[in-house]
Amino acid sequence: MNHRLAISSALASVMALGLLAQVSAAPAKDPGKSHEKCYGIAKAGQNDCANLAGTHACAGQSKADMDPGDWKYVAKGTCKDMKGLNADEAKMKMKK
């Protein structure tokens, strides 16, 4: 009986970890008009969704700090204070 309980517990743990991994890789939800996308401020692994280059399509997949193609949602009006870029500025920077 204890053997069956141990196997069931292990299986439940593995399934829970798989669900947690799916949730953490889900795209960021649009917070609405109170926030804006700010490019070039995300640290590696802390972006909110796909990058401009198209090399990844999910949150948390950025490979470099402050990549101009990766973005995070920030409170509206605070991006420039963080030395971030809007989408057009980020596209121009990536072309250089």
Side-chain angles (χ1 to χ4, degrees), residues 3 16 41 44-45 47 51 62 75 85 91 96:
H3 183 64
I41 64 163
N47 63 300
N51 66 356
S62 61
L85 310 167
K91 288 175 187 174
K96 293 181 181 182

Side-chain angles (χ1 to χ4, degrees), residues 8-64:
S8 296
S9 295
L11 183 58
S13 297
V14 169
M15 291 175 69
L17 286 174
L19 181 60
L20 181 61
Q22 284 183 342
V23 170
S24 67
K29 292 183 181 176
D30 186 349
K33 296 182 181 192
S34 64
H35 286 73
E36 63 184 333
K37 290 180 181 181
C38 188
Y39 292 82
I41 64 163
K43 297 207 181 228
Q46 295 182 0
N47 63 300
D48 277 338
C49 209
N51 66 356
L52 290 175
T55 57
H56 64 77
C58 249
Q61 293 185 347
S62 61
K63 302 288 185 215

Side-chain angles (χ1 to χ4, degrees), residues 38-41 50-56 66-71 85-96:
C38 188
Y39 292 82
I41 64 163
N51 66 356
L52 290 175
T55 57
H56 64 77
M66 313 317 179
D67 184 326
D70 285 308
W71 58 271
L85 310 167
N86 64 33
D88 292 333
E89 293 168 335
K91 288 175 187 174
M92 291 300 290
K93 188 168 184 176
M94 290 180 64
K95 285 183 181 179
K96 293 181 181 182

